[in-house]
Amino acid sequence: MNLTKLGMAIVVAAIAIATVAFASDIEPCRAEPATLQAVRLRQIELDGFWLQQGKRLIEKWLPHCIAQMEPGGAGQELANLIAAGQVIRGEPHGRYTGAPWSDAYIYNTLEAVCLALAIDARDDGELAAAQARLSATLDQWIPIILAAQLPDGYLHSFHTVHGHPRFSNIGWHEFYVMGYLLELGVAHYRATAGRDRRLYDAAIRCADQLDRTFGPPPKRTWKNGHPGLEYALCRLARLVDEVAGPGAGARYARLAKFFLDHQHELEPNSYDQSNLPAIEMVQAEGHAVRATYFYTAMADLALMLDDPAYGDAVDRLWTNAIQRKHYLTGGVGASPRGEAFGADFDLCNDGYCESCASCGLSFWAARVHRLRGDGHFVDVQERVLYNNLLGAVDLAGENFFYQNPLASDHPRYAWHGCPCCVGNIPRTLLSIKDLMYSTNSSRDTLYVNHFVGGKATIADFVAGPLGVRQETEYPWKGEVQITLWPPATREFELRLRIPRRTESELYTAEPDVANKYCVSINGQTQKPEIEKGYVVLRRAWQPADKVVLSLPLDVQRVRCDERVAANRGRVAVQRGPLTYSVEDVDHAIPASHTVLKPDAALRATWQPDLLGGVIAIDGPAFRAIPNYARLNRGGGAAVWIVEDPERAAAAAATSRSPRPEPPSRPDLDPRTVDRVAIGHFESELQHDLQGQRTASEVFRDRPWRHADVDGWFSYRLAVKPNVPQSVHVVYWGSEQGARRFDILVDGQKIAGQALLRNRPETFFDAEYPIPRNLVQDKDNISVRLQARPGAMAGGVFGLRIVEVKR
């Protein structure tokens, strides 16, 4: 793009985003006047920490995602929507690749783009250029999406390309995908201030088609295999009320409630939150992403419909999830078995903590905060955003974590066989602009929820726009200066959140910092009351009044409830909102074995040349870095550090999360010479696992291993000398992207393999004969899977040496 076109693109993007700089939308009051209202900023200036994070996502990560989704990328999900449009037009079409729900990745990535364009680039040429490229992608992709939508509003490229009957297989996740489409329509409408209605109208057509199809008899009943549509319907309902008038969106909220009320009537299963009626749920259980999305919808309906039964159920579920199943990093979903919540106090440090589950927890926290008006819910959200989620993308903005265990030596990877998180991560992080502030229903109280350097204007507040500027170096420093610009002297209430650094009963922290904050107005110290986690300041405010909130950022040692076996004898370190990790590279011994004695003095030191600039926590032979910056230098990292070696050793034997056992194979076992239990620590250790850029995960309740771009992994397996044998490997037949690799035995290539939907939706075997000379007079060999240049190796679900059939 030449400079003239680039400049025009920037101007067009800026005009599309807002008519008035730093403007906002406040959602209109609905049924329950006591609830809080979201302040959605159409445009914002960011400074400091969050500007740095936003630039990483906008300039690096989102372009990376777009490149992988376009034809020729690792996932090329956009090609499916192109093929769907070709089918609708009666043209020759390409084949469908990837999971049936892959359209969703396109939609949540474009929602992140909409949020990215709301950040004012000011004089930052790199940021402005990146935003112009993102705006151009939006313009290119929208017609492709619209062309893939059928006239009646149905849009699911997997069904359109294959000609499958609609709503016939819950596992194909039409509702999940359509939910993301609805959310994109809402986000794009807000981002363009309604000037571009194309995606909004597409969302309306889709929602209308669903409303015509599903509901009380004579309409159909259907089960949402992956919740997500329900809270998307609530988001759409709110916006339709704003656009078309109060009550116009009510039918979408009623449809969402119908789905939640009737989930349990079709194949009840706790895995997808269909085991009980929603209002009877007590335990946070099942697939953690599905669960947090489901509970978000419940909270939304409690808000919109003033339904106390839904509200009570949400309170119970929240209490169970946060007080029994919440990691110190903000992660949820401990179990690799189904990417699910574990039992109470089951918080193994190699637990799953999927990135999308953190997104879901942030959404849920936002809704319950509005429902209950308590800063506790923002405390939880802050921990999620600054730790589990912010650390999901590396500092280079080129690789990500699907899982976020608290103890790991796995590197991030450029892409994933199920890249559901790649757009979800940035859309959740960039939504910080819409989480900073809330108002009460009468719009005469402003809640400051998150401490983010930046400037914005909150429209229609106390009969006029209110300018707000936060100046802060949070999370590195605890001082937050807030300058207010009402249009004239106005009386209103300002509420500032005072974080409680142990928002879960699972954790205690020392020293206690609960009452160390201080507040001043125009230099005069205040003694305000605290209500529901906020200090309350009410007065007649004048333009340029300054409030300074000083929060303590002491280094704190955190200890865990003794019922969590994994953390007995261990301690963690936090400072302000940041949880810390220790890394192999900073110590003479592995991070998991590092000892922090109870009496060791700790100090916080600014390290400008470390990991992009961080505050490290240092002590005798000890260093910890913020968890979000972990695993950018290789090696391993751990949050929970040995404090009492004897107790930690005793707990270690029982604290690893269980891995599913590999299925028995009566057809193979009789001729098996040796096999590796993929993903099982002991088996992989016994078989001398080696590798670079390799990781093990769980899919469909089966562990698998792969190596990211240009990586490899190998095992040493027993063989029988001078007997015809083969390397037997199990793959998943729907793998896609750049998965091309070679199989080597003792350094010699014996075969090549490409995985590109070889056997869709099933596991399949591949057997590679080993040349006789490679097993002659040997009792073991090295089997290595080596990615070809620019490609990945695996995934492998089973690996054996077998005798050749006679």
Side-chain angles (χ1 to χ4, degrees), residues 621-803:
F622 177 83
R623 165 162 283 184
I625 53 96
N627 185 71
Y628 80 81
R630 74 199 185 282
L631 298 175
N632 280 273
R633 299 176 291 168
V639 168
W640 289 96
I641 311 152
V642 174
E643 184 179 51
D644 183 332
E646 290 187 6
R647 295 188 70 236
T654 59
S655 64
R656 285 185 60 85
S657 59
R659 286 262 166 156
E661 289 298 323
S664 61
R665 292 290 301 269
D667 58 323
L668 288 178
D669 291 344
R671 59 189 183 101
T672 295
V673 179
D674 194 10
R675 73 168 186 172
V676 181
I678 299 293
H680 287 255
F681 177 78
E682 294 78 7
S683 181
E684 291 191 320
L685 182 67
Q686 291 167 1
H687 289 90
D688 190 28
L689 170 65
Q690 303 289 321
Q692 292 181 352
R693 300 181 66 78
T694 182
S696 172
E697 303 170 26
V698 175
F699 174 75
R700 296 210 171 180
D701 211 26
R702 292 181 65 168
W704 64 289
R705 179 170 292 281
H706 81 150
D708 209 339
V709 177
D710 299 330
W712 61 272
F713 58 97
S714 69
Y715 299 100
R716 186 158 292 279
L717 292 102
V719 293
K720 294 181 178 180
N722 307 316
V723 172
Q725 292 158 91
S726 297
V727 176
H728 182 280
V729 186
V730 180
Y731 302 111
W732 170 242
S734 286
E735 291 281 19
Q736 59 178 322
R739 293 188 177 273
R740 300 182 299 275
F741 50 94
D742 295 325
I743 293 90
L744 295 86
V745 168
D746 283 349
Q748 180 174 320
K749 177 181 173 180
I750 66 167
Q753 179 71 57
L755 300 180
L756 186 61
R757 291 190 63 79
N758 309 60
R759 296 275 300 280
E761 296 300 307
T762 188
F763 294 99
F764 74 97
D765 298 344
E767 202 161 309
Y768 312 102
I770 305 172
R772 282 287 189 96
N773 65 299
L774 294 180
V775 295
Q776 188 173 3
D777 300 324
K778 294 181 181 178
D779 57 11
N780 66 80
I781 58 171
S782 168
V783 177
R784 173 167 168 151
L785 279 73
Q786 173 72 61
R788 293 176 185 169
M792 298 180 284
V796 169
F797 289 80
L799 182 62
R800 303 172 182 237
I801 301 295
V802 298
E803 293 186 33

Side-chain angles (χ1 to χ4, degrees), residues 420-489:
C420 53
C421 303
V422 299
N424 217 8
I425 294 165
R427 78 161 180 150
T428 307
L429 290 171
L430 291 171
S431 70
I432 188 74
K433 73 177 184 65
D434 297 329
L435 303 173
M436 293 167 62
Y437 305 110
S438 304
T439 71
N440 64 342
S441 57
S442 57
R443 301 176 190 174
D444 60 3
T445 299
L446 178 67
Y447 289 73
V448 179
N449 303 316
H450 289 284
F451 309 116
V452 178
K455 179 181 178 182
T457 297
I458 300 172
D460 194 22
F461 181 77
V462 195
L466 175 66
V468 184
R469 183 183 187 96
Q470 288 193 49
E471 297 173 86
T472 182
E473 295 181 56
Y474 193 84
W476 309 125
K477 295 182 179 179
E479 185 169 291
V480 183
Q481 179 175 288
I482 301 171
T483 307
L484 302 172
W485 287 282
T489 300

Side-chain angles (χ1 to χ4, degrees), residues 119-138:
I119 297 174
D120 186 355
R122 289 175 283 176
D123 57 353
D124 188 328
E126 291 183 351
L127 180 57
Q131 288 176 317
R133 290 190 291 271
L134 294 178
S135 182
T137 296
L138 194 58

Side-chain angles (χ1 to χ4, degrees), residues 517-529 536-539 541 547-548:
Y517 69 92
C518 58
V519 182
S520 67
I521 300 177
N522 298 329
Q524 299 296 311
T525 300
Q526 307 293 307
K527 299 290 186 182
E529 297 180 352
V536 182
L537 304 170
R538 186 166 190 90
R539 57 180 269 139
W541 298 91
V547 179
V548 176

